[in-house]
Amino acid sequence: MNGITIALSKGRIFDETLPLLAAAGIVPVENPETSRKLIIGTNRPDVRVVIVRATDVPTYVQYGAADLGVAGKDVLIEHGGEGLYQPLDLNIAKCRMMVAVPEGFDYERAVRQGNRLKVASKYIKTAREHFAAKGVHVDLIKLYGSMELAPLAGLADAIVDLVSTGGTLKANKLVAVEDIMGISSRLVVNQAALKLKRETLTPILDAFAKAVKKD
Ligand code: PRT
Ligand code: MG
């Protein structure tokens, strides 16, 4: 494959990457929300977009099935980043990684007392590092979605999840008790492609870098 393949997930990452692609002169010919196609052409015959799950973007780029991709810092931490060059924080799809508990649960007290906490999350690595650094003993329970349900259903005392407006926590009577880190999406590049396709990739990377919005 001589052309360039870009891995994106549909939803906020696709939507917020569109202006950056446009700045590089790349316009997808279809919208993944309405099309069921997983391979989407662009105005440029040598550039295509593949639509994958957000958590699969680093894997496609790592193995060279895609040359470029856009993935959240949350996803990149869990993946580990092997084989990936991460030249640019795109400052898109922003949110915060937080610890949340049911309203009325005295988290500070539980921590002070040295209680062993049951914590459910999709972000096991992030959660493990966070609680280890604080010296809090936790049993981590891996989930693949709807973390907010776990404390309500009695599966866990706390969750580690992404929060943007806070609306989901509120609707489920949960409160954020710790802010772990800010999250945004990064451009990821296959390390071999960066060398072999440098001439095609460099102008795209430069256009992205120029179009990134600073805070
Ligand atoms: O949704 P799906 O299961 O298909 O996959 P995904 O959740 O992995 O992908 P997607 O497209 O939802 O998220 C892609 C990336 O967007 C994530 O990896 C994050 O880096 C970033 N991002 C930014 C978010 C959010 N904001 C966000 N709010 N990802 C998820 N959420 C969820 C959060 O998990 C919680 O359930 O939205 C809910 C909270 O939102 P508020 O506004 O109610 O606080
Ligand atoms: Mg989601």
Side-chain angles (χ1 to χ4, degrees):
M1 180 72 188
N2 257 330
I4 298 292
T5 299
I6 305 172
L8 297 175
S9 53
K10 61 181 180 183
R12 66 191 109 217
I13 289 196
F14 184 87
D15 297 343
E16 296 187 39
T17 302
L18 275 182
L20 299 168
L21 287 171
I26 299 167
V27 182
V29 297
E30 270 172 299
N31 179 344
E33 296 304 335
T34 49
S35 155
R36 285 169 186 268
K37 282 196 189 155
L38 298 175
I39 300 180
I40 295 180
T42 72
N43 61 318
R44 274 177 57 170
D46 62 333
V47 180
R48 64 178 190 170
V49 174
V50 292
I51 302 298
V52 303
R53 283 297 291 265
T55 42
D56 292 334
V57 167
T59 308
Y60 273 77
V61 177
Q62 173 186 6
Y63 290 100
D67 304 295
L68 296 179
V70 176
K73 186 179 175 188
D74 50 321
V75 164
L76 289 167
I77 290 173
E78 297 301 315
H79 171 271
E82 305 100 89
L84 301 176
Y85 174 56
Q86 298 182 30
L88 206 53
D89 182 345
L90 300 175
N91 207 18
I92 60 169
K94 289 171 74 174
C95 56
R96 304 206 65 86
M97 181 75 74
M98 303 192 100
V99 180
V101 299
E103 288 172 11
F105 178 83
D106 194 341
Y107 175 75
E108 284 309 323
R109 185 185 153 97
V111 167
R112 241 184 357 255
Q113 289 180 337
N115 294 356
R116 202 170 178 92
L117 292 175
K118 278 193 281 176
V119 179
S121 189
K122 192 165 149 181
Y123 308 103
I124 293 294
K125 218 177 188 176
T126 308
R128 185 184 298 115
E129 279 164 22
H130 172 71
F131 292 109
K134 279 188 54 115
V136 176
H137 297 289
V138 290
D139 289 320
L140 294 171
I141 303 169
K142 168 80 184 182
L143 288 179
Y144 292 87
S146 301
M147 264 86 83
E148 297 86 359
L149 176 64
L152 309 178
L155 179 66
D157 303 307
I159 60 171
V160 168
D161 195 8
L162 301 175
V163 179
S164 46
T165 63
T168 308
L169 290 184
K170 203 158 181 238
N172 293 291
K173 296 190 162 43
L174 300 170
V175 283
V177 288
E178 259 166 9
D179 188 343
I180 303 180
M181 66 177 92
I183 299 286
S184 56
S185 284
R186 316 283 162 115
L187 184 65
V188 292
V189 186
N190 176 272
Q191 284 173 349
L194 191 64
K195 296 194 188 92
L196 298 170
K197 301 182 180 179
R198 186 176 280 280
E199 270 178 47
T200 319
L201 287 175
T202 301
I204 298 175
L205 267 51
D206 288 349
F208 270 50
K210 263 202 218 153
V212 167
K213 293 213 169 61
K214 304 278 180 295
D215 284 319

